[in-house]
Coordinates of all heavy atoms in Angstrom, one line a residue:
E1 N -12.9 12.1 16.6 CA -11.6 12.6 16.1 C -10.6 11.4 16.1 O -9.8 11.3 15.2 CB -11.2 13.7 16.9 CG -9.9 14.3 16.4 CD -9.6 15.6 17.2 OE1 -10.4 16.4 17.6 OE2 -8.3 15.8 17.4
R2 N -10.6 10.6 17.2 CA -9.6 9.5 17.2 C -9.9 8.5 16.1 O -8.9 8.0 15.6 CB -9.7 8.8 18.6 CG -9.0 9.5 19.7 CD -8.9 8.7 21.0 NE -10.2 8.2 21.5 CZ -11.0 8.9 22.3 NH1 -10.7 10.1 22.7 NH2 -12.2 8.4 22.7
T3 N -11.2 8.3 15.8 CA -11.5 7.4 14.7 C -11.0 8.0 13.4 O -10.4 7.3 12.5 CB -13.0 7.1 14.6 OG1 -13.4 6.6 15.9 CG2 -13.3 6.2 13.5
F4 N -11.1 9.3 13.2 CA -10.6 10.0 12.0 C -9.1 9.8 11.9 O -8.6 9.4 10.8 CB -11.0 11.4 12.1 CG -10.2 12.3 11.1 CD1 -10.7 12.4 9.8 CD2 -9.1 13.0 11.5 CE1 -9.9 13.2 8.9 CE2 -8.4 13.8 10.6 CZ -8.8 13.9 9.3
L5 N -8.4 10.0 13.0 CA -7.0 9.8 13.0 C -6.6 8.4 12.7 O -5.5 8.1 12.1 CB -6.4 10.3 14.3 CG -6.5 11.8 14.5 CD1 -6.1 12.2 15.9 CD2 -5.7 12.6 13.5
A6 N -7.4 7.4 13.2 CA -7.1 6.0 12.9 C -7.2 5.7 11.4 O -6.4 5.0 10.8 CB -8.0 5.1 13.7
Y7 N -8.2 6.3 10.8 CA -8.3 6.2 9.3 C -7.1 6.9 8.6 O -6.7 6.3 7.6 CB -9.6 6.8 8.8 CG -10.8 5.9 8.9 CD1 -11.8 6.0 9.9 CD2 -11.0 4.9 8.0 CE1 -12.9 5.2 10.0 CE2 -12.1 4.0 8.1 CZ -13.0 4.2 9.1 OH -14.1 3.3 9.1
V8 N -6.7 8.0 9.1 CA -5.5 8.6 8.5 C -4.3 7.7 8.6 O -3.5 7.5 7.6 CB -5.2 10.0 9.1 CG1 -3.9 10.6 8.7 CG2 -6.3 11.0 8.8
R9 N -4.1 7.1 9.7 CA -2.9 6.2 9.9 C -3.1 5.0 9.0 O -2.1 4.5 8.4 CB -2.8 5.7 11.4 CG -2.4 6.8 12.3 CD -2.1 6.2 13.7 NE -3.2 5.5 14.3 CZ -4.1 6.2 15.1 NH1 -4.0 7.5 15.3 NH2 -5.1 5.5 15.6
T10 N -4.3 4.5 8.8 CA -4.6 3.4 7.9 C -4.2 3.8 6.5 O -3.6 3.0 5.7 CB -6.1 2.9 8.0 OG1 -6.3 2.5 9.3 CG2 -6.4 1.8 7.1
A11 N -4.6 5.0 6.1 CA -4.3 5.5 4.7 C -2.8 5.5 4.5 O -2.3 5.1 3.5 CB -4.9 6.8 4.4
L12 N -2.1 6.0 5.5 CA -0.6 6.1 5.4 C 0.0 4.7 5.3 O 0.9 4.5 4.6 CB 0.0 6.8 6.6 CG -0.3 8.3 6.7 CD1 0.2 8.9 8.0 CD2 0.4 9.0 5.6
A13 N -0.6 3.7 6.1 CA -0.1 2.3 6.0 C -0.4 1.7 4.6 O 0.5 1.0 4.0 CB -0.8 1.5 7.0
F14 N -1.5 2.0 3.9 CA -1.7 1.6 2.6 C -0.6 2.2 1.6 O -0.2 1.5 0.7 CB -3.1 2.0 2.1 CG -4.2 1.2 2.8 CD1 -5.4 1.7 3.1 CD2 -4.0 -0.2 3.0 CE1 -6.4 1.0 3.7 CE2 -5.1 -1.0 3.6 CZ -6.3 -0.3 3.9
F15 N -0.3 3.5 1.8 CA 0.7 4.1 0.9 C 2.0 3.4 1.1 O 2.7 3.1 0.2 CB 0.8 5.6 1.2 CG -0.4 6.4 0.9 CD1 -0.8 7.4 1.7 CD2 -1.2 6.2 -0.2 CE1 -1.9 8.2 1.4 CE2 -2.3 6.9 -0.6 CZ -2.7 7.9 0.3
A16 N 2.4 3.1 2.4 CA 3.7 2.5 2.7 C 3.7 1.1 2.1 O 4.7 0.6 1.5 CB 3.9 2.4 4.2
A17 N 2.6 0.4 2.2 CA 2.5 -1.0 1.7 C 2.6 -1.0 0.2 O 3.3 -1.8 -0.4 CB 1.2 -1.7 2.2
G18 N 1.9 0.0 -0.4 CA 2.0 0.1 -1.9 C 3.4 0.4 -2.4 O 3.9 -0.2 -3.4
T19 N 4.1 1.2 -1.6 CA 5.5 1.6 -2.0 C 6.4 0.3 -1.8 O 7.2 0.1 -2.7 CB 6.0 2.7 -1.1 OG1 5.2 3.9 -1.2 CG2 7.5 3.0 -1.4
A20 N 6.2 -0.4 -0.8 CA 7.0 -1.6 -0.5 C 6.7 -2.7 -1.6 O 7.7 -3.2 -2.2 CB 6.6 -2.2 0.8
I21 N 5.5 -2.9 -2.0 CA 5.1 -3.8 -3.0 C 5.8 -3.4 -4.4 O 6.4 -4.3 -5.0 CB 3.6 -4.0 -3.2 CG1 2.9 -4.5 -1.9 CG2 3.2 -4.8 -4.4 CD1 3.2 -6.0 -1.7
L22 N 5.6 -2.1 -4.7 CA 6.2 -1.7 -6.0 C 7.7 -1.7 -6.0 O 8.3 -1.9 -7.1 CB 5.6 -0.3 -6.3 CG 4.1 -0.2 -6.7 CD1 3.6 1.2 -6.7 CD2 3.8 -0.9 -8.0
S23 N 8.3 -1.5 -4.9 CA 9.8 -1.4 -4.8 C 10.5 -2.7 -4.7 O 11.6 -2.9 -5.2 CB 10.2 -0.5 -3.7 OG 9.6 0.8 -3.9
F24 N 9.9 -3.7 -3.9 CA 10.7 -4.8 -3.4 C 10.1 -6.2 -3.8 O 10.7 -7.2 -3.5 CB 10.9 -4.7 -2.0 CG 11.5 -3.4 -1.5 CD1 10.8 -2.6 -0.7 CD2 12.8 -3.1 -1.9 CE1 11.3 -1.4 -0.3 CE2 13.4 -1.9 -1.5 CZ 12.7 -1.1 -0.6
F25 N 8.9 -6.3 -4.4 CA 8.3 -7.5 -4.5 C 8.4 -8.2 -5.8 O 7.7 -9.2 -6.1 CB 6.8 -7.4 -4.0 CG 6.6 -7.5 -2.5 CD1 7.1 -6.6 -1.7 CD2 6.0 -8.6 -2.0 CE1 7.0 -6.7 -0.3 CE2 5.8 -8.7 -0.6 CZ 6.3 -7.7 0.2
D26 N 9.2 -7.7 -6.7 CA 9.3 -8.3 -8.1 C 9.8 -9.8 -7.9 O 9.4 -10.6 -8.7 CB 10.3 -7.6 -8.9 CG 9.6 -6.3 -9.5 OD1 8.4 -6.4 -9.7 OD2 10.4 -5.4 -9.9
K27 N 10.6 -10.1 -7.0 CA 11.1 -11.5 -6.8 C 10.1 -12.4 -6.1 O 10.1 -13.6 -6.3 CB 12.5 -11.5 -6.2 CG 13.5 -10.9 -7.0 CD 14.9 -10.9 -6.4 CE 15.9 -10.3 -7.4 NZ 17.1 -9.9 -6.8
V28 N 9.3 -11.8 -5.2 CA 8.3 -12.6 -4.5 C 7.1 -12.9 -5.4 O 6.6 -14.0 -5.5 CB 7.8 -11.9 -3.3 CG1 6.7 -12.6 -2.5 CG2 9.0 -11.6 -2.3
I29 N 6.6 -11.9 -6.1 CA 5.5 -12.0 -7.1 C 6.2 -11.9 -8.4 O 6.6 -10.8 -8.8 CB 4.5 -10.9 -6.9 CG1 3.9 -10.9 -5.4 CG2 3.3 -11.0 -7.9 CD1 3.0 -9.8 -5.1
G30 N 6.3 -13.0 -9.1 CA 7.1 -13.1 -10.4 C 6.7 -12.2 -11.5 O 7.5 -11.9 -12.3
H31 N 5.5 -11.7 -11.6 CA 5.1 -11.0 -12.7 C 4.9 -9.5 -12.3 O 4.2 -9.1 -11.4 CB 3.7 -11.5 -13.3 CG 3.8 -12.9 -13.7 ND1 4.5 -13.3 -14.8 CD2 3.3 -14.0 -13.1 CE1 4.4 -14.6 -14.9 NE2 3.6 -15.1 -13.9
R32 N 5.6 -8.6 -13.1 CA 5.6 -7.2 -12.8 C 4.2 -6.6 -12.9 O 3.8 -5.7 -12.1 CB 6.5 -6.4 -13.8 CG 6.6 -4.9 -13.6 CD 7.4 -4.6 -12.3 NE 7.4 -3.2 -12.0 CZ 7.5 -2.6 -10.9 NH1 7.8 -3.4 -9.8 NH2 7.5 -1.3 -10.8
A33 N 3.4 -7.1 -13.8 CA 2.0 -6.6 -14.0 C 1.2 -6.8 -12.7 O 0.5 -5.9 -12.3 CB 1.4 -7.3 -15.1
I34 N 1.4 -8.0 -12.0 CA 0.7 -8.2 -10.8 C 1.2 -7.3 -9.7 O 0.5 -6.8 -8.9 CB 0.8 -9.7 -10.4 CG1 0.0 -10.5 -11.5 CG2 0.2 -10.0 -9.0 CD1 0.1 -12.0 -11.3
V35 N 2.5 -7.1 -9.7 CA 3.1 -6.2 -8.7 C 2.6 -4.8 -8.8 O 2.1 -4.2 -7.9 CB 4.7 -6.2 -8.8 CG1 5.3 -5.1 -8.0 CG2 5.3 -7.5 -8.5
V36 N 2.4 -4.4 -10.1 CA 1.9 -3.0 -10.3 C 0.4 -3.0 -9.9 O 0.0 -2.0 -9.3 CB 2.1 -2.6 -11.8 CG1 1.3 -1.4 -12.2 CG2 3.6 -2.4 -12.1
V37 N -0.4 -4.0 -10.3 CA -1.8 -4.0 -9.9 C -1.9 -4.0 -8.4 O -2.7 -3.1 -7.8 CB -2.5 -5.2 -10.5 CG1 -3.9 -5.4 -9.8 CG2 -2.6 -5.1 -12.0
V38 N -1.2 -4.8 -7.7 CA -1.4 -4.8 -6.2 C -0.9 -3.6 -5.5 O -1.5 -3.0 -4.7 CB -0.7 -6.1 -5.6 CG1 -0.6 -6.1 -4.0 CG2 -1.3 -7.4 -6.1
G39 N 0.3 -3.1 -6.0 CA 0.9 -1.8 -5.4 C 0.0 -0.7 -5.7 O -0.3 0.2 -4.8
S40 N -0.5 -0.5 -6.9 CA -1.3 0.6 -7.3 C -2.7 0.5 -6.6 O -3.3 1.5 -6.2 CB -1.6 0.6 -8.8 OG -0.3 0.8 -9.5
G41 N -3.1 -0.7 -6.4 CA -4.4 -0.9 -5.7 C -4.3 -0.5 -4.3 O -5.2 0.1 -3.7
L42 N -3.1 -0.7 -3.6 CA -2.9 -0.3 -2.2 C -2.9 1.3 -2.2 O -3.4 1.9 -1.3 CB -1.7 -0.9 -1.6 CG -1.9 -2.4 -1.3 CD1 -0.5 -3.0 -1.0 CD2 -2.8 -2.5 -0.1
Y43 N -2.2 1.9 -3.2 CA -2.2 3.3 -3.3 C -3.7 3.9 -3.4 O -4.0 4.8 -2.8 CB -1.4 3.8 -4.4 CG 0.1 4.0 -4.1 CD1 1.1 3.2 -4.6 CD2 0.5 5.1 -3.3 CE1 2.4 3.4 -4.2 CE2 1.8 5.3 -3.0 CZ 2.7 4.5 -3.5 OH 4.1 4.6 -3.2
A44 N -4.4 3.3 -4.4 CA -5.8 3.7 -4.6 C -6.6 3.6 -3.3 O -7.4 4.4 -3.0 CB -6.4 2.9 -5.7
L45 N -6.4 2.5 -2.6 CA -7.1 2.3 -1.3 C -6.7 3.3 -0.3 O -7.6 3.8 0.5 CB -6.8 0.8 -0.8 CG -7.8 0.3 0.2 CD1 -9.2 0.4 -0.2 CD2 -7.4 -1.2 0.5

C-alpha cells in the first residue's frame, strides 16, 4: 500500500511538473512546440 501511495504521489508530481512546464517555460525553452511536447508528455506520464 505504501508503494501504491508513492506511485500516486509520483503521478501528482508529473501533473505538477507538466503544469509548470506548460505555464512558465516558454522563455527557458524557446519553442512553444517543444514546451507543449514536454508538458504534455509529463501529463501523459
Side-chain angles (χ1 to χ4, degrees):
E1 185 175 324
R2 283 190 302 273
T3 303
F4 167 80
L5 294 172
Y7 274 105
V8 170
R9 288 189 302 271
T10 301
L12 290 172
F14 288 142
F15 295 140
T19 300
I21 295 285
L22 289 169
S23 300
F24 306 114
F25 276 66
D26 279 335
K27 293 183 179 164
V28 176
I29 301 172
H31 301 292
R32 182 68 183 161
I34 293 176
V35 170
V36 169
V37 166
V38 173
S40 300
L42 287 167
Y43 271 108
L45 200 52

